Amino acid sequence: MRLAQIVEMIHVASLLHDDVIDKSPLRRGAVSAPAAFGNKLSVLAGDFLLGRTSAALSRLGENEVVELIASVIANLVEGEILQLKAMHGEDLDRESDGQGARAAVVLGGCKEGELWKEIAYAYGRNLGIAFQLVDDILDYEAGEGTLGKPGGADLRLGLATGPALFAWEEHPELGPLIERKFKQEGDVELAREFVRRSSGVERTRDLARSYADKAREVLTSLPESDAKAALVVLTERVVKRTS
């Protein structure tokens, strides 16, 4: 439970920093921290949380867990840098999900060389990819009422995620918009229309389901338990979520 609290603190810190980088006015339907308190305080608040996280991690008394979670933080930062460079940081983010899951079983007593760490890593990584793909879908399907941020936020950041990339295969005219990162007036709206007229959202959802299925398949090696049943349910909820 303490590890879960620590990971959530890291998550909140990353959101504070993300809203500064993305210049987001909203977070879950409410005014974002940068909009309410300014960029400087938001960055400092995120840094403060990471500092408290480091102290809490050290008290766990498990060096491997500290190393794994430290790599998660590094991966998050690297992912943001890649995103700013218009490259794809998603693989690094999913690496973080796998490392976080691995840390949980290490803290639970798993020893070096045991299979459980690899099962945890594979589950976390596949589930994380499914989660992100659904996030990409919601950016097209939902407005402020669902995600708590304006629809098309990824496009305004110049990011072509799953639905747009699949739509590009069906509508080559989308290519120039992606290349110029949707910077011209009307690009965002036109790109959303191309996605709407394509099967991009459906194909992205199918891909999310396939990764959720992979996460569920990994669990077959685990003994039956309430915890395993909960992990199976989580693979279903990730794909069905609406926020």
Side-chain angles (χ1 to χ4, degrees), residues 72-82 92-93:
V72 166
I73 297 173
N75 286 341
L76 287 172
V77 176
E78 289 174 42
E80 287 295 343
I81 292 171
L82 291 174
L92 281 171
D93 289 341

Side-chain angles (χ1 to χ4, degrees), residues 202-217:
E202 291 79 5
R203 292 171 70 184
T204 304
R205 194 178 300 280
D206 288 342
L207 187 58
R209 288 195 189 97
S210 72
Y211 276 104
D213 289 343
K214 289 178 183 177
R216 186 164 55 251
E217 289 168 9

